[in-house]
Amino acid sequence: MISTDFPTKQVTLKPEDFDPPLKRKEPTVPGYWTLEEIAAEIEMTSRKVQYDVLGRPEIGLKPFLKAYKVAKVLLVPDEDALEYIQRYRNRKKS
């Protein structure tokens, strides 16, 4: 029986876990992904990824991807970016 008293251990993704492999070889910012890098991995526009980060209040879309704004660049932490990429790739396979 699974109890909610103890948090379940999350499996962390690594770049080696992806099939096909990730296109990004060297990060622009170590430990983070830019929106453009994520967009290239999922073969979408960076605007689509930006909507997932910032949301679109005018149509009721809430943000669901965490990012940090540094100057004019949005940076997504490695773990969150890899989960997003995997989720998007799995969605495209279906």
Side-chain angles (χ1 to χ4, degrees):
M1 182 171 142
I2 297 177
S3 170
T4 57
D5 295 339
F6 301 98
T8 57
K9 181 181 177 190
Q10 286 186 337
V11 178
T12 57
L13 292 170
K14 295 179 223 138
E16 305 85 51
D17 297 339
F18 287 84
D19 185 34
L22 296 174
K23 297 172 187 173
R24 178 178 96 156
K25 300 300 177 202
E26 289 294 320
T28 305
V29 179
Y32 295 92
W33 287 69
T34 64
L35 299 187
E36 291 76 18
E37 291 171 332
I38 295 172
E41 292 294 337
I42 62 172
E43 298 175 350
M44 295 298 277
T45 64
S46 58
R47 182 72 155 184
K48 170 24 179 146
V49 181
Q50 182 178 351
Y51 286 148
D52 290 340
V53 170
L54 300 176
R56 289 186 70 184
E58 66 274 6
I59 63 168
L61 180 67
K62 296 187 189 237
F64 66 90
L65 183 61
K66 179 176 63 173
Y68 301 102
K69 190 167 186 172
V70 178
K72 293 185 178 185
V73 178
L74 289 167
L75 300 175
V76 180
D78 272 342
E79 189 172 321
D80 294 337
L82 293 175
E83 286 178 17
Y84 178 80
I85 292 167
Q86 182 183 47
R87 186 174 347 126
Y88 218 92
R89 282 186 176 182
N90 289 340
R91 189 181 321 161
K92 286 178 81 175
K93 286 181 185 177
S94 304

